[in-house]
Amino acid sequence: MAVSTSLSFIIASVSSVIVFSLLQYMKPFFAGGQLNTILGGFLGSWLFVLSLTAVNNLENLVFGKGFQSKLIPEVAFCLVATLFACGSVHRVCVTTCFFFSALALYYINGLSLKEYAPPTVDATLTKKKKK
């Protein structure tokens, strides 16, 4: 079930604060072992996805419904902020967070293109055959 943009902004904002707090509160756990560090990076990638969702929903509320997130201002800002948050937990969390976030961004882009891209017209179908 889809929610409105304002409710999605609130949910994504609160969820990103919860994930950030969990990363900071469980810092000794995530820095304790190799698998825990990878888990911290994975949780950091969720922080990236949630913060990017919150930023994009805020822009849609402010600038209008058709506004899209771009790579340089929005995605880069959310990624750098998330990497700093993971860097306060452990250095390896930064690396794993970057890779998991890049993978998540790839799939988010694919879903976005599938859902919101305008339909394309095949050039071979538009040509008329001569008899």
Side-chain angles (χ1 to χ4, degrees):
M1 182 171 97
V3 297
S4 66
T5 305
S6 58
L7 184 60
S8 178
F9 167 68
I10 292 170
I11 291 171
S13 299
V14 170
S15 298
S16 63
V17 168
I18 289 171
V19 170
F20 176 75
S21 300
L22 186 66
L23 276 172
Q24 295 303 311
Y25 181 72
M26 301 289 290
K27 190 184 295 190
F29 172 75
F30 291 127
Q34 291 177 349
L35 289 176
N36 298 348
T37 306
I38 294 171
L39 180 65
F42 180 72
L43 197 61
S45 72
W46 276 102
L47 178 64
F48 167 71
V49 169
L50 290 168
S51 62
L52 183 62
T53 302
V55 166
N56 190 28
N57 285 331
L58 179 64
E59 288 176 341
N60 277 325
L61 288 172
V62 173
F63 299 124
K65 195 70 174 163
F67 197 81
Q68 296 178 352
S69 291
K70 305 283 188 287
L71 180 65
I72 293 302
E74 294 92 5
V75 174
F77 171 75
C78 290
L79 185 62
V80 167
T82 303
L83 292 178
F84 273 114
C86 286
S88 69
V89 175
H90 195 273
R91 290 180 293 177
V92 178
C93 281
V94 176
T95 307
T96 57
C97 176
F98 178 77
F99 289 127
F100 284 130
S101 296
L103 185 67
L105 189 63
Y106 174 76
Y107 283 109
I108 288 171
N109 186 38
L111 286 172
S112 176
L113 288 176
K114 185 178 176 183
E115 182 69 25
Y116 298 110
T120 58
V121 178
D122 192 12
T124 59
L125 295 177
T126 58
K127 292 182 181 178
K128 294 183 179 180
K129 293 182 179 181
K130 291 185 178 180
K131 291 185 180 183

